């Protein structure tokens, strides 16, 4: 008998259960290592992209400030006061206003400008640092701080996103003649004070930059007749375009300040003699109203190299404060952003030749217009 068998008639084999494998410890470690390598490769690129965006935002801030300044000059045929200074004889006290306060209506801050009191009197300067309606003659209200004060306004265009500020608004509570107390908004930018700027009213302060002390009490403290004949005089007037003889595209207008310096705070701010009245991240009140002491808040100069930091062995002295607080600088690698008088903004390398750097800060130093500076 012949038996035929078709494949279709054959019984199907029973399926075997699927094998399931777990990761071994070695495999898991390999995967983690690969992920770590990828993150390590990607993270610097992400950080670099973020910093590039922050640097571009900083340049845009400076562009807005420069445009506001040139619009101010077009309106009034002069540049804003760097730091207008007045003095009341009885009781003796100083007060004044910064370049930033004068720029408010040109920075899309008309409401804040309307709230600001520009009267040439001490009470007006005091009212700008307190809540609206505070009574100057009431002892309780006189020292009542308020973040509703005009000087406390936070203006994004005044702050670099890379800068390490303690806060957008700070409380200044050091009480001494010439120092206002109250709430103040911060800025990451310094007005070009030329070749010499200091902590307070030094006889060597210059008028060779674009901004300097002006008005009734603009002469620094002068101990000798020789000092009284130097540089700034009482009644100093702001600069004009015609004063910029070195070329508007070669003259600094504003630059950055880096609010980070642990040695500065350790040696100078937290010293028992308090050589610096504040930690470094409290210097930079755009709405300072206390007169000549505000030079540290407002002006930068080329007396010290760009990105200068307080050395670990720096002596505890006012001279050390002056060195650090004069310096332009930034948290951007390799240099800082600057606005020029022609309204342009450039990233200037910290390796710029010191002679050229100094020449960039003067408006009529007689330097050749062909001098080049290092920019990126």
């Amino acid at each position: 008998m012949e038996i035929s068998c078709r494949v279709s008639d054959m019984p199907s084999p029973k399926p075997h259960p699927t094998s399931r494998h777990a990761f071994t410890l070695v495999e898991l470690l390999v995967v983690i290592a690969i992920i770590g390598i990828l993150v390590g490769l990607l993270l610097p690129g992400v950080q670099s992209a973020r910093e590039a965006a922050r640097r571009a935002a900083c340049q845009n801030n400076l562009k807005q400030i420069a445009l506001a300044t040139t619009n101010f000059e077009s309106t009034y045929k002069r540049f804003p006061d760097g730091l207008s200074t007045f003095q009341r004889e009885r009781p003796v006290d100083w007060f004044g206003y910064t370049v930033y306060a004068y720029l408010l209506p040109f920075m899309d801050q008309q409401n804040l400008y309307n709230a600001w009191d520009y009267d040439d009197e001490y009470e007006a300067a005091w009212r700008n640092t307190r809540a609206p309606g505070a009574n100057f003659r009431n002892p309780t209200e006189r020292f009542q701080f308020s973040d509703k004060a005009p000087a406390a306004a936070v203006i994004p265009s005044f702050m670099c996103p890379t800068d390490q500020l303690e806060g957008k608004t700070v409380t200044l509570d050091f009480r001494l003649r010439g120092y206002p107390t109250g709430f103040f908004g911060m800025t990451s930018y310094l007005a070009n004070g030329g070749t010499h700027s200091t902590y307070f009213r030094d006889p060597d302060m210059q008028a060779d930059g674009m901004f300097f002390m002006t008005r009734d009490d603009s002469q620094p403290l002068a101990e000798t007749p020789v000092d009284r004949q130097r540089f700034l005089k009482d009644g100093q007037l702001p600069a004009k375009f015609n004063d910029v003889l070195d070329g508007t595209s070669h003259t600094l207008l504003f630059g950055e300040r880096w609010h980070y310096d642990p040695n500065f705070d350790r040696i100078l701010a937290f010293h028992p003699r308090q050589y610096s009245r504040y930690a470094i991240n409290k210097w930079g009140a755009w709405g300072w109203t206390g007169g000549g002491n505000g030079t540290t808040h407002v002006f930068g100069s080329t007396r010290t190299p760009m990105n200068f930091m307080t050395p670990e062995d720096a002596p505890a002295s006012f001279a050390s404060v002056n060195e650090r607080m004069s310096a332009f600088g930034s948290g951007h690698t390799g240099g800082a952003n600057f606005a020029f008088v022609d309204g342009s903004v450039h990233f200037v390398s910290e390796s710029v030749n010191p002679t050229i750097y100094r020449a960039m800060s003067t408006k009529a130093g007689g330097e050749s217009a062909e001098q080049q500076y290092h920019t990126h």
Side-chain angles (χ1 to χ4, degrees), residues 271-292:
H271 188 279
R273 287 196 60 184
Q274 206 173 3
Y275 288 99
S276 172
R277 304 304 186 190
Y278 315 113
I280 196 168
N281 58 16
K282 283 193 172 185
W283 285 111
W286 69 259
W288 173 268
T289 61

Side-chain angles (χ1 to χ4, degrees), residues 4 9 14 61 66 80 97 112 114 130 157 159-161 170 173 192 200 318 336 352 371 375:
S4 64
D9 295 332
K14 294 182 179 180
N61 289 345
Y97 307 111
L112 181 56
N114 293 340
R130 297 298 194 280
S157 297
M159 291 179 290
C160 169
V170 298
D173 55 4
N192 170 26
F200 174 65
F318 290 113
V352 60
Q371 285 183 324
T375 60

